[in-house]
Amino acid sequence: MSEAIKGFTKKVGLPRLIIALFFISLCITAVFLKLPALTLLSDSIRRFGMYGVLVLAMVPAIQSGIGPNFALPLGIVCGILGSLISIEMGLMDLWGFVGAIIISLPFAILSGIAYGILLNKIKGSEMLIATYTGFSIVSFMSIMWIILPFKHNEMVWPIGKGLRVTISLDSTFGQILNNFLDFAIGDIMIPTGLLLFFFGSCLIVWLFSRSKLGLAIKASGDNPKFALASGINIDRSRIIGTTLSTVLGAIGIIVYAQSYGFMQLYQAPLMMAFPAVAAILIGGASAKKARISHVIIGTFLLQGLLTVALPVANQIVSEGDLSEVMRMIVQNGIILYALTKVGGDD
């Protein structure tokens, strides 16, 4: 019996098993506390689609050997910049969403190439450098959001200079994916367009990883010496993996923003890499190995936990307004636990 339990634990992965059991226990507690369980499930599905592409951005980075991309804010600010230019040009609805992605791509590609070259100079310290690269680009763009010559009334402050901290997308491309072919099952809303976009992105990345170039990138990350002996240019593979991760980060924040309904600037992207890294690690990935299944499982578990844990905690600890404190404790606790598993299940 004990061997069967050990085999099951090894197959599923201890981090995933612990987080899944914690998630199930929270769901059961929510039912006993008479919380709206179906509404919480609906929110979990929506958040799963919102964050999915940002977590997916970790896959090419890990497969190419640079590890989890803590410099995800680099791609995020490119996506924000593309979105702002799209709004400034007056693009709306589907054209606004597609335009934001297309405009952000050149910024993300150039940034990804430059960042990949930087990482090739400091092999072995990628995660540390990535974290500070992300922090630096967010601080730099906080200055640029003030001096860039945007004129759109919904983006600039009515008095003074600079862009607003939060920009509403209601009149442009807010909810464009969520509302596409959406339907309800009782109290559960299914954002069909959002889920289709996420799963479609997963399919494209999966197909790319099985192409000749994708296999070369994976070989560079799995075994650099073997890849070098096979004639694979490791540095080039790492730059391509970094660039793809940055591009997915740019697309991911546009998907996130349209679902959220707002675009947040300045310091908002600063810590967004950590939940994405935590999600893929909880899903079973390590610093050297990542699959699409890790993205899907990890995103659902992390976002499901964050969605259900807060109402349950607020119901149990009703004294005072502790919702923000509990949110920070739960989110950072899960992220901390996930980062301890960066070496994998072993």
Side-chain angles (χ1 to χ4, degrees):
M1 184 64 181
S2 60
E3 289 299 322
I5 294 174
K6 287 182 180 177
F8 178 75
T9 304
K10 187 175 181 180
K11 184 177 181 181
V12 176
L14 187 60
R16 269 185 291 184
L17 196 58
I18 292 173
I19 294 293
L21 290 174
F22 184 44
F23 178 50
I24 293 170
S25 66
L26 282 175
C27 292
I28 294 172
T29 306
V31 173
F32 276 108
L33 292 174
K34 297 181 180 179
L35 292 171
L38 295 180
T39 304
L40 292 177
L41 179 59
S42 182
D43 287 344
S44 299
I45 294 172
R46 181 178 57 81
R47 289 170 65 103
F48 168 71
M50 277 175 66
Y51 281 89
V53 181
L54 289 172
V55 181
L56 185 64
M58 297 296 145
V59 173
I62 293 174
Q63 288 184 343
S64 66
I66 68 167
N69 186 6
F70 284 94
L72 190 64
L74 185 64
I76 289 175
V77 296
C78 293
I80 293 174
L81 183 59
S83 302
L84 297 178
I85 296 174
S86 171
I87 296 172
E88 183 76 9
M89 292 170 64
L91 300 176
M92 299 178 67
D93 301 324
L94 182 61
W95 289 113
F97 177 74
V98 175
I101 291 177
I102 293 174
I103 295 168
S104 69
L105 288 182
F107 300 110
I109 291 171
L110 292 175
S111 301
I113 292 172
Y115 176 53
I117 294 172
L118 171 66
L119 290 183
N120 283 340
K121 304 285 186 186
I122 45 91
K123 289 178 183 174
S125 304
E126 287 91 345
M127 286 192 278
L128 178 64
I129 298 299
T131 304
Y132 284 99
T133 302
F135 289 171
S136 300
I137 192 65
V138 170
S139 300
F140 174 73
M141 290 308 293
S142 293
I143 300 172
M144 298 305 292
W145 300 140
I146 296 174
I147 63 177
L148 285 174
F150 287 104
K151 303 292 184 185
H152 197 283
N153 290 333
E154 295 185 13
M155 297 198 298
V156 298
W157 290 109
I159 302 175
K161 293 180 64 177
L163 294 166
R164 302 179 190 217
V165 177
T166 302
I167 297 171
S168 174
L169 300 178
D170 287 344
S171 61
T172 52
F173 57 86
Q175 306 289 323
I176 191 71
L177 289 180
N178 290 51
N179 294 338
F180 179 71
L181 297 178
D182 62 328
F183 63 95
I185 304 175
D187 291 335
I188 304 174
M189 284 300 300
I190 307 296
T192 311
L194 182 65
L195 297 179
L196 284 176
F197 189 93
F198 171 48
F199 288 125
S201 301
C202 290
L203 178 62
I204 292 171
V205 173
W206 182 80
L207 290 174
F208 175 79
S209 67
R210 273 148 183 78
S211 67
K212 185 178 178 181
L213 181 57
L215 290 173
I217 291 173
K218 283 185 69 176
S220 301
D222 290 341
N223 193 333
K225 291 182 179 178
F226 174 78
L228 190 62
S230 302
I232 296 173
N233 187 330
I234 297 176
D235 287 350
R236 178 174 171 269
S237 297
R238 286 165 57 95
I239 291 173
I240 294 173
T242 308
T243 305
L244 288 175
S245 178
T246 307
V247 167
L248 285 170
I251 297 173
I253 192 61
I254 297 171
V255 174
Y256 174 90
Q258 69 80 32
S259 183
Y260 187 47
F262 297 94
M263 185 73 71
Q264 291 185 301
L265 278 61
Y266 299 98
Q267 298 298 301
L270 191 66
M271 307 301 286
M272 289 193 75
F274 291 94
V277 173
I280 197 164
L281 294 177
I282 288 172
S286 68
K288 295 183 177 179
K289 183 179 178 183
R291 294 198 296 263
I292 299 299
S293 59
H294 297 152
V295 174
I296 296 173
I297 295 171
T299 307
F300 183 77
L301 284 178
L302 180 64
Q303 295 306 322
L305 268 175
L306 295 178
T307 305
V308 179
L310 298 186
V312 170
N314 285 335
Q315 192 77 8
I316 294 173
V317 186
S318 58
E319 290 80 8
D321 185 12
L322 296 177
S323 60
E324 182 61 19
V325 176
M326 295 304 296
R327 187 188 71 80
M328 295 297 292
I329 292 173
V330 172
Q331 177 171 315
N332 292 324
I334 296 170
I335 291 172
L336 180 62
Y337 175 74
L339 291 178
T340 63
K341 304 300 174 186
V342 71
D345 294 343
D346 296 335

